[in-house]
Amino acid sequence: MNTTLSITNTIFLSTDLHISKAPFYKHKEAELILEKAKTTSNLLGIVDETLYRDHTTMTNYLYVNGSIQKMTNVLVTYDTLYFLDDFFGEDTVKEDVADLKTILALWEGKAIALAVKNDKLKKLYQAIKYIGEVIREDSPTHFFKKYTASVKEHLYYALESPSYKTVNEYIKVRLYTSGMMPVIDLIEYVNDNYISETIESKLPLLYRLKQTCALIGGLSNDLFSYAKEKHSNFNLINAFLLTKEANTYEEAVSKSINLVNKLSEDFEQDLKEIRNEIHSMDYMSKSIIEKHLKGLEVIVSACYHWQFETKRYKHSEAVFEDIKFN
């Protein structure tokens, strides 16, 4: 398959991405889940009406078979993380900074005294405490430990803004700033389909597949959201320009699309290989892994279909001609 997009083409379409060919998935109870989650997020004070609806719909594209209650819990989790990113993230101008140690202590259920004057920061901390307790009490200990490790990595990178000197270094940073690794972990929670360390140890390729899935999400988002992130160093297009690995905007966009397409090809190849590997496993292990693999495919689909449909990335200066508005 030819993965190279010509840099002479200055009109880019979202369909230039291979992930645009992925089947469309959406939870059948999407509206009810949105309604229930918004009620909770409103009570927590993390609903910003100018931003909320445009990003909160994502959850119903990421997971399509979960129970209404678990989907609601996950959506509130994402509401909280988006609230963190929108008001305290690495490319957000702010006066007050969210303290990583405080966030982690609250997440893990530790009793700490809070003396916070900033109202948004106070609401963030309250929401972190709430979602940590909900996920902790509604999942196995080994899962919460794994999910917590992913959340820690994401929060560290989102709040500390590590620097980079090459596009490859940026990609390594983006793996964690995107928040996609926690998204992938929650496939297990939503579907009540937990992968034991024993099962995972038999499939070393699975972790690479998860990382590839995460990078498809994070780096495709850099393309969809570029018009709103032109000021930020933390975007793949700007990474190509800042490191001088691309000489023009058009070349940077073209190289970014090609990179995401190569990742999607790698994902399909590794997916095929893992499905061949699990043939020799016992029925229960095979069933658990196959359900998880399907969950990863749904997430790759969401990386295109939600980003294409949401109003969050519609912009007169969007990279992709088919999501522009005049």
Side-chain angles (χ1 to χ4, degrees):
M1 182 182 295
N2 181 15
T3 62
T4 304
L5 192 70
S6 170
I7 62 173
T8 61
N9 177 20
T10 57
I11 297 177
F12 301 101
L13 299 173
S14 69
T15 50
D16 291 330
L17 293 169
H18 294 346
I19 57 175
S20 66
K21 309 301 188 295
F24 178 92
Y25 301 100
K26 189 176 181 181
H27 201 289
K28 63 181 180 180
E29 298 290 352
E31 291 305 314
L32 178 59
I33 293 163
L34 288 172
E35 180 183 332
K36 285 180 171 292
K38 188 171 184 180
T39 297
T40 301
S41 293
N42 261 321
L43 290 172
L44 292 169
I46 54 171
V47 173
D48 184 286
E49 290 296 346
T50 61
L51 301 170
Y52 184 81
R53 183 73 184 188
D54 290 346
H55 66 59
T56 196
T57 54
M58 172 187 68
T59 307
N60 288 311
Y61 291 75
L62 290 171
Y63 318 102
V64 296
N65 295 312
S67 68
I68 291 173
Q69 186 56 58
K70 287 210 164 186
M71 289 292 293
T72 301
N73 294 344
V74 168
L75 209 162
V76 175
T77 300
Y78 290 143
D79 286 348
T80 304
L81 294 176
Y82 262 110
F83 189 79
L84 166 66
D85 186 60
D86 286 336
F87 295 103
F88 303 99
E90 86 278 341
D91 61 351
T92 306
V93 177
K94 65 271 188 182
E95 296 178 2
D96 292 272
V97 177
D99 180 68
L100 181 57
K101 289 183 179 179
T102 300
I103 287 175
L104 294 177
L106 291 168
W107 170 263
E108 294 175 347
K110 297 176 182 176
I112 60 172
L114 293 176
V116 182
K117 294 181 180 180
N118 182 290
D119 186 56
K120 279 189 169 63
L121 191 55
K122 184 184 298 183
K123 289 173 180 176
L124 171 67
Y125 287 159
Q126 290 172 341
I128 291 286
K129 180 179 179 181
Y130 170 81
I131 62 170
E133 182 177 337
V134 166
I135 302 294
R136 187 170 61 252
E137 293 184 355
D138 195 27
S139 64
T141 301
H142 80 272
F143 168 79
F144 186 75
K145 181 179 179 181
K146 176 169 67 175
Y147 182 54
T148 296
S150 291
V151 170
K152 282 183 178 180
E153 284 179 323
H154 168 60
L155 293 176
Y156 168 77
Y157 279 89
L159 297 173
E160 299 299 325
S161 308
S163 60
Y164 62 88
K165 294 182 180 179
T166 66
V167 170
N168 280 340
E169 288 181 3
Y170 170 74
I171 291 168
K172 291 177 182 177
V173 171
R174 190 67 176 122
L175 178 64
Y176 301 110
T177 60
S178 69
M180 285 299 296
M181 292 305 286
V183 165
I184 290 167
D185 284 339
L186 284 175
I187 295 173
E188 298 181 48
Y189 172 77
V190 168
N191 294 316
D192 280 313
N193 186 64
Y194 300 101
I195 304 174
S196 69
E197 292 181 1
T198 301
I199 295 176
E200 197 151 3
S201 67
K202 296 176 181 178
L203 292 169
L205 196 57
L206 183 59
Y207 186 68
R208 186 172 83 182
L209 185 72
K210 292 179 183 181
Q211 287 190 317
T212 303
C213 179
L215 286 172
I216 290 170
L219 298 177
S220 65
N221 177 256
D222 284 357
L223 285 157
F224 277 98
S225 62
Y226 181 73
K228 295 183 177 183
E229 295 180 353
K230 288 190 293 184
H231 66 285
S232 174
N233 292 348
F234 290 89
N235 183 284
L236 182 60
I237 295 171
N238 282 343
F240 272 111
L241 294 171
L242 290 168
T243 61
K244 302 191 184 303
E245 292 180 48
N247 295 315
T248 65
Y249 164 78
E250 287 79 9
E251 184 182 5
V253 173
S254 179
K255 286 189 171 184
S256 297
I257 292 172
N258 291 339
L259 196 158
V260 174
N261 285 343
K262 178 59 168 61
L263 287 168
S264 67
E265 290 183 10
D266 292 344
F267 178 85
E268 291 299 328
Q269 181 59 43
D270 286 349
L271 191 67
K272 183 178 180 180
E273 189 171 333
I274 290 175
R275 282 186 166 134
N276 286 333
E277 289 180 2
I278 65 175
H279 283 314
S280 60
M281 299 178 75
D282 63 88
Y283 175 80
M284 184 61 69
S285 297
K286 189 191 304 184
S287 176
I288 290 170
I289 293 300
E290 182 53 49
K291 194 171 184 179
H292 192 74
L293 295 179
K294 184 62 182 178
L296 289 171
E297 289 182 299
V298 171
I299 285 180
V300 169
S301 167
C303 292
Y304 178 76
H305 291 293
W306 175 73
Q307 293 194 115
F308 180 78
E309 292 199 348
T310 182
K311 294 179 181 179
R312 185 175 175 86
Y313 305 125
K314 307 295 183 187
H315 198 283
S316 60
E317 297 178 36
V319 167
F320 297 125
E321 197 71 24
D322 50 348
I323 65 168
K324 283 185 178 179
F325 65 78
N326 298 319

